[in-house]
């Protein structure tokens, strides 16, 4: 479905991002995966090459909020692969801190990664995407619709991702660039595994499909939205959550 396409996927070292990297590679794309550390990026590349040494995959670990670093990395990706067709802004961190305990530092950390990096990576990618009628995909969350009862900056950042997605889709439509987001429900990644049992168990009971989602459930949605099968879809927030509505 993505034969000949070049994708950049942030937060590609594990969880939803890693599964999306693999899904895109299996569908014929060349992929640059971005992570936060050299070590985890190298581990992810090693694991992928072990599974299939033909995979066309590169790894980088720039500061996602630094425009200059992103420019250097995206230019290197373009030089290596010849184009940039798809950007998946997936890196994100969550929080369950109560508002009275929030520090300014935690506020900045969440808004920098979950909002500013989406803005910065998109801004830097747009000149390349214009040449290819490319695609921007963002990882939102079900809490971007319903909120959550703690860690207010996390849902707030995902509401911002939705606003960014819908607005940028309209701004860039005349270039043929599509911008969409996927809003995952409860997905079995490190982000969720780190939550206490007493939080996760009741959460699963509220999911009508009766299970947590797997990273591949989200990767499948990204694959569809990245592909030409979604060529008339832009500005949507696609819920992939087993009808979870908490
Ligand atoms: P994860 O913790 O398994 O992976 C997070 C990824 O983000 C990793 O690849 C990590 O390297 C990267 N990352 C973290 N901090 C970074 C930084 N400072 N700079 C660059 N990269 C950094 O999490 P996940 O569950 O796979 O989450 C991926 C996305 O999905 C996030 O945006 C998250 O908000 C969203 N999401 C997850 C769930 C869920 O239930 N797991 C639900 C809704 C939305």
């Amino acid at each position: 479905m993505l034969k000949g396409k070049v994708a950049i996927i942030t937060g590609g070292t594990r969880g939803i991002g890693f599964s999306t990297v693999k899904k895109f590679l299996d569908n014929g794309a060349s992929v640059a995966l971005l992570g936060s550390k050299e070590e985890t990026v190298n581990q992810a590349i090693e694991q992928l090459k072990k599974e299939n040494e033909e995979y066309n995959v590169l790894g980088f670990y720039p500061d996602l909020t630094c425009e200059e670093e992103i420019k250097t990395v995206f230019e290197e990706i373009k030089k290596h692969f010849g184009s940039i067709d798809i950007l998946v802004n997936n890196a994100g961190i969550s929080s369950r801190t109560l508002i009275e305990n929030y520090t300014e530092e935690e506020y900045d950390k969440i808004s920098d990664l979950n909002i500013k990096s989406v803005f910065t990576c998109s801004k830097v990618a747009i000149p390349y995407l214009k040449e290819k009628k490319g695609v921007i995909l963002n990882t939102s969350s079900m809490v971007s619709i319903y909120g959550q009862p703690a860690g207010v900056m996390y849902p707030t950042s995902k509401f911002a991702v939705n606003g960014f997605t819908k607005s940028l889709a309209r701004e860039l439509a005349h270039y043929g660039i599509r911008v969409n987001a996927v809003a995952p429900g409860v997905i079995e990644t490190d982000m969720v595994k780190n939550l206490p049992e007493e939080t996760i168990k009741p959460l699963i009971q509220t999911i009508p499909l009766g299970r947590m989602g797997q990273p591949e459930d989200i990767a499948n949605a990204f694959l569809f939205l990245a592909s030409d099968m979604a060529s008339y879809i832009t500005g949507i927030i696609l819920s992939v959550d087993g009808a979870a509505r908490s």
Side-chain angles (χ1 to χ4, degrees):
M1 284 168 78
L2 300 180
K3 199 160 191 281
K5 305 274 187 191
V6 176
I8 298 174
I9 301 178
T10 72
T13 57
R14 58 175 198 261
I16 290 168
F18 185 74
S19 186
T20 305
V21 168
K22 222 171 113 35
K23 183 67 64 179
F24 281 23
L25 288 167
D26 285 336
N27 278 271
S30 302
V31 178
L33 76 79
L34 273 47
S36 52
K37 288 190 234 122
E38 180 174 13
E39 190 193 349
T40 49
V41 166
N42 289 343
Q43 277 166 4
I45 300 275
E46 209 175 290
Q47 194 180 329
L48 289 162
K49 290 281 187 187
K50 237 189 246 166
E51 288 179 37
N52 185 343
E53 61 180 31
E54 307 272 289
Y55 279 155
N56 223 351
V57 60
L58 285 181
F60 298 92
Y61 40 94
D63 175 350
L64 293 179
T65 62
C66 173
E67 191 168 327
E68 283 316 304
E69 275 189 45
I70 297 296
K71 273 186 180 163
T72 307
V73 165
F74 283 18
E75 189 50 33
E76 207 175 321
I77 294 166
K78 152 90 190 224
K79 266 195 196 130
H80 186 88
F81 287 135
S83 67
I84 298 171
D85 303 86
I86 302 158
L87 168 68
V88 184
N89 289 306
N90 167 72
I93 38 171
S94 89
S95 160
R96 296 193 69 80
T97 305
L98 296 176
I99 192 161
E100 58 265 38
N101 299 328
Y102 252 98
T103 59
E104 207 175 321
E105 199 184 13
E106 187 175 1
Y107 174 99
D108 287 342
K109 202 172 154 196
I110 291 176
S111 76
D112 279 355
L113 186 64
N114 294 12
I115 307 173
K116 191 177 177 194
S117 82
V118 175
F119 168 84
T120 305
C121 291
S122 301
K123 183 182 169 203
V124 174
I126 285 165
Y128 303 104
L129 299 176
K130 275 184 187 171
E131 291 171 16
K132 301 297 301 253
K133 293 193 186 309
V135 178
I136 296 175
L137 299 171
N138 301 318
T139 307
S140 180
S141 167
M142 71 175 175
V143 304
S144 76
I145 299 158
Y146 301 100
Q148 73 180 22
V152 70
M153 274 316 293
Y154 178 64
T156 300
S157 71
K158 296 300 187 179
F159 274 79
V161 167
N162 292 3
F164 181 82
T165 302
K166 291 181 183 192
S167 303
L168 200 63
R170 298 178 72 171
E171 184 173 329
L172 300 180
H174 66 108
Y175 297 115
I177 298 176
R178 296 184 296 108
V179 187
N180 290 302
V182 173
V186 185
I187 309 300
E188 201 169 3
T189 66
D190 289 353
M191 187 176 271
V192 166
K193 284 178 202 152
N194 291 337
L195 292 173
E197 178 80 11
E198 64 267 24
T199 308
I200 295 189
K201 245 186 159 175
L203 212 55
I204 295 173
Q205 282 163 0
T206 66
I207 304 171
L209 279 183
R211 65 167 175 91
M212 273 198 267
Q214 293 303 310
E216 194 175 5
D217 292 318
I218 308 306
N220 285 335
F222 277 136
L223 172 63
F224 166 67
L225 289 172
S227 78
D228 291 342
M229 290 183 74
S231 61
Y232 199 53
I233 299 176
T234 194
I236 65 149
I237 315 300
L238 177 60
S239 289
V240 181
D241 60 7
R245 296 287 184 263
S246 59

